[in-house]
Amino acid sequence: MKERSGTPDRAIEDPDWFGNKAVHVALSVALVIAYVVVLTFVAIRARAAREYSEFSLAKRALPLALIFGSLCATYVGPAFSIGFVGKGFQSGFLFLIIGLAYGLQNILVGVLIAPRLRALEGCHTLGDAVGHRYESRTCQVLAGIISVGLCAGFATVMVSAGGLVIRDVFALPLWASVALIAAVTALYTTSGGLRASVVTDAFQFTAFTLLLPLILLVALAFHLKGGGTAFFWHAVEATRQGVGSMTPMELVGLLTSFLLGETLIPPYANRALASRTTESSRNSFVLGGLFSVIWFLVMVSLGIVARGLIPDDTKGDHVLLNLVKLILPAEGYALLMVVSLSVIMSSLDSLLNAGAVAFTQDIVRPLRRFSDREALSTGRVATAGIAACAAVAAAGAVKFPSIIDGLLLCYAVWAPAILPALGFGLWLKKPRPPAGIASMVAGALVAVTFQFLWPQASRTTAILPALGASLGAYLIGHLLGGRRG
Amino acid sequence: MMGALVMIGVVVASVLVMASGVWVASALIAAIWRVDRTSPPSVSKTSDESRR
C-alpha cells in the first residue's frame, strides 16, 4: 500500500504506529490476495472451452441469472461506478436522469432487438447477424473490423484504469501494472472463453453489488449529519449546479450518447446470442435496464452523501476514494481496490472475448475455411493478441484525457457505425447490402473525422452528425442499391 | 417529508441492488457446483422452435 500524508509525525507521536500500520497493510494485502484466489477458483471451475461453440457462445446454455449478472457487470465499468459517484457529487441527480436513457436503451433492446438476434440460427456475433441478414460477406467483414476495433479501444481504456488501481495498491511501475491486469484477465478468458467470462463476471457482480451499497448505507446511517433533510438539500443544490453548468446541446449530446452509444456493443450482443432461449435473452436485457436505474441511484447518492463529508474541490474521480478513506478503516481502502478490480476485470474479460470471437468469426472465417479446432485456437490467440495490444496502448502508446473521455470516443464511433445497419437489417424484410456498407463506412468515418477536427465538442456531440451521416448514407444506399452487393 | 421519502427510495434501491447480487451469487454457486456432474446441453434451438 502507498504511504499517505503525515506519516512521519504520527509515527513520532505514537510508538505503536508502525505496528498498527503493519497490521493494516497485512490485512489489506490479505484481502486483495483472498479476492484473487477466490476469482481464480471460480475461473478454474468454469473449465476450459473444448469446442469453438463453447468458446464463443458457451453452447447457448447460460441461464437468465448469469446472463443478467454478466450483462450488468460488463456495463458497470469504472465510468458507471467511480465516474457516477463523482457526477453525483458535482451535479446531484442530473446524471440519474441522463442515466435513465441508458436504462431505456437496454429495455428497448430487450423488447425489440435481442429476441430477433437470438432467433437467428448459427450466428456467433453481431457481424454474423449483419452478414446473415444482408446476405453479404462484405457487410460481415466490415462489421467485424468495427467490432474488433471497438473492443480493442474499450479494452485499452479498461486496462489503463486497472493498471492505475494495481499501481496504487502494489506500488508497481505503470507498465508492470497494465501488463499484470491484462495478463490475468487474458489468462482465464483465453482458456474458458465466454463461459469463463460470464461466470467470473457473476462473481465480480456479486462483489460490487454487495460492497458499494453497503458503503452507502454505512455513510447514511453513521456519518451523514442532518439525516434525510440534509441529504435532500444537498441533492437539490448539486442538481441545480449541474443543470446550470450544461448547455442544451451538451445535454442532448449526452442523452444521445447514453441512449445509443453502448447499444449492443459486441459483448452485449454475444450475451443476447448465448442465452438459453429467446425469452431469457429478452428478459436479461429488460432486467439489466431496470437494474441500471437503481444502480445509478445508489452511485449518485454516494456522491451526494460525500458533499457533506469531503472538501468541495475534490476531483470527480477521487470522490469515492476519499469518502471510503474517511468513513471506513484502513482496510476499507483495500476493499475499494477489490471493488474497482471487480468492476474493471468484469468489463475487460467480456471485451477480450467478444473481440476475439468477432475477429475469428467475422474477419478470418469469411476469408478462409477452417476446422472447429482451428477456430478455437484462432479465438485464443486473438484474445491474447487484443490483450497485448491494449496493454501496450495503455502503457503509454495511446493518450486520452480521462477514462470517461476514452469511453465517449468509443461510443461516438460505435453507434453511428453499426446501429442503423443492424437495426434496419433486423427489421426490414429485404435489407440491401449497399445500404449497410454505406451506413457503416459513413458513420465510422464521420465520427472519427469529427474527433480530430473538433475534439472538445466531440466528447458529447460527435455522435449526432455521425449518426445523421450514417442514416443519410443508409437511405441513399437503400434507394440506389440493388438486392445483392 | 421529501427528505424522508428520498432517503427511503435510496435505502430501497440499495437493498434491491444487494438482492440482485445475492440472486446472481446463488445462480453462480449452482453453476460452478453442477459443472462437473452435468455437461451443458447442446442447445441451439430457440424457445419458439422448442415449443413446436
Side-chain angles (χ1 to χ4, degrees):
Chain A
M1 303 277 288
K2 272 187 158 181
E3 291 293 348
R4 316 242 183 104
S5 60
T7 301
D9 291 344
R10 288 170 63 185
I12 292 163
E13 286 163 15
D14 179 4
D16 292 334
W17 187 87
F18 279 116
N20 292 337
K21 181 78 179 166
V23 170
H24 286 311
V25 169
L27 278 173
S28 302
V29 172
L31 203 62
V32 175
I33 290 173
Y35 165 77
V36 173
V37 168
V38 178
L39 177 69
T40 309
F41 171 74
V42 170
I44 290 169
R45 294 289 297 186
R47 80 179 178 192
R50 285 168 290 201
E51 297 167 29
Y52 178 64
S53 63
E54 211 173 350
F55 182 84
S56 59
L57 292 178
K59 287 195 165 181
R60 290 189 157 176
L62 295 169
L64 172 64
L66 289 186
I67 292 280
F68 161 77
S70 175
L71 186 67
C72 298
T74 303
Y75 73 63
V76 176
F80 282 4
S81 50
I82 297 163
F84 256 68
V85 175
K87 293 295 179 193
F89 182 77
Q90 292 163 342
S91 53
F93 284 131
L94 175 65
F95 266 74
L96 173 64
I97 296 160
I98 291 170
L100 291 179
Y102 188 82
L104 178 68
Q105 173 248 109
N106 267 289
I107 293 169
L108 289 176
V109 166
V111 173
L112 300 174
I113 300 180
R116 281 176 180 264
L117 207 55
R118 176 61 183 82
L120 294 174
E121 276 303 298
C123 287
H124 293 246
T125 61
L126 210 59
D128 233 357
V130 169
H132 179 83
R133 290 294 301 148
Y134 286 89
E135 295 177 16
S136 160
R137 271 188 191 178
T138 314
C139 284
Q140 182 177 359
V141 173
L142 207 52
I145 291 169
I146 295 167
S147 298
V148 173
L150 179 104
C151 288
F154 268 129
T156 301
V157 179
M158 295 302 156
V159 169
S160 178
L164 293 177
V165 173
I166 299 273
R167 188 180 66 172
D168 215 25
V169 177
F170 297 108
L172 292 172
L174 184 65
W175 67 266
S177 306
V178 297
L180 190 63
I181 189 103
V184 169
T185 315
L187 196 65
Y188 68 76
T189 315
T190 302
S191 163
L194 185 67
R195 185 175 162 80
S197 169
V198 167
V199 166
T200 50
D201 282 357
F203 167 69
Q204 286 151 338
F205 176 83
T206 304
F208 64 71
T209 51
L210 294 180
L211 292 175
L212 283 175
L214 199 64
I215 293 170
L216 175 63
L217 293 176
V218 167
L220 287 173
F222 303 111
H223 297 275
L224 180 68
K225 287 173 190 149
T229 311
F231 180 85
F232 176 72
W233 286 112
H234 280 308
V236 169
E237 189 193 339
T239 309
R240 200 175 287 154
Q241 283 173 2
V243 172
S245 68
M246 210 171 272
T247 64
M249 194 62 185
E250 280 177 329
L251 205 58
V252 171
L254 264 176
L255 279 168
T256 314
S257 291
F258 273 82
L259 186 66
L260 300 175
E262 241 186 57
T263 305
L264 270 182
I265 59 171
Y268 304 166
N270 284 16
R271 276 144 188 80
L273 289 162
S275 50
R276 210 175 259 170
T277 63
T278 50
E279 281 85 3
S280 60
S281 181
R282 180 186 60 227
N283 294 343
S284 58
F285 276 84
V286 172
L287 286 175
L290 296 174
F291 176 81
S292 71
V293 177
I294 53 170
W295 176 257
F296 292 150
L297 177 57
V298 171
M299 291 301 102
V300 295
S301 297
L302 270 167
I304 293 166
V305 170
R307 278 178 81 90
L309 299 171
I310 63 173
D312 290 345
D313 59 351
T314 307
K315 284 185 180 173
D317 285 351
H318 297 148
V319 172
L320 183 59
L321 181 63
N322 288 2
L323 180 70
V324 168
K325 273 182 187 172
L326 187 79
I327 67 172
L328 295 182
E331 289 74 22
Y333 180 75
L335 204 65
L336 184 64
M337 294 300 115
V338 167
V339 169
S340 305
L341 282 178
S342 296
V343 158
I344 292 162
M345 287 171 77
S346 61
S347 298
L348 180 59
D349 61 20
S350 308
L351 289 161
L352 293 181
N353 177 257
V357 174
F359 178 80
T360 309
Q361 191 70 18
D362 301 332
I363 298 177
V364 181
R365 251 197 170 156
L367 305 175
R368 178 174 167 263
R369 291 185 67 171
F370 53 21
S371 65
D372 190 81
R373 184 183 278 265
E374 285 172 317
L376 181 59
S377 304
T378 308
R380 285 185 166 149
V381 171
T383 308
I386 295 171
C389 290
V392 169
V398 175
K399 297 276 180 206
F400 43 87
S402 71
I403 291 168
I404 292 216
D405 281 319
L407 293 179
L408 283 172
L409 194 141
C410 296
Y411 291 171
V413 176
W414 176 254
I418 288 290
L419 292 188
L422 176 70
F424 288 124
L426 286 174
W427 278 91
L428 290 180
K429 201 171 177 186
K430 288 184 177 177
R432 295 175 176 172
I437 294 167
S439 168
M440 286 190 269
V441 171
L445 281 181
V446 172
V448 171
T449 309
F450 207 83
Q451 308 279 346
F452 290 104
L453 288 182
W454 198 5
Q456 192 55 38
S458 72
R459 284 169 54 208
T460 51
T461 53
I463 199 168
L464 297 174
L467 207 53
S470 176
L471 287 167
Y474 193 96
L475 185 67
I476 293 167
H478 186 79
L479 293 175
L480 300 180
R483 175 74 188 99
R484 289 191 173 268
Chain B
M1 181 64 184
M2 277 301 285
L5 284 176
V6 172
M7 283 287 272
I8 290 168
V10 169
V11 171
V12 169
S14 302
V15 172
L16 283 174
V17 167
M18 293 168 96
S20 306
V22 172
W23 178 46
V24 172
S26 61
L28 171 68
I29 291 166
I32 60 174
W33 248 254
R34 214 176 291 147
V35 77
D36 285 343
R37 280 180 277 152
T38 57
S39 59
S42 185
V43 180
S44 59
K45 284 180 180 174
T46 64
S47 62
D48 305 331
E49 287 161 3
S50 315
R51 273 195 235 109
R52 280 175 211 158

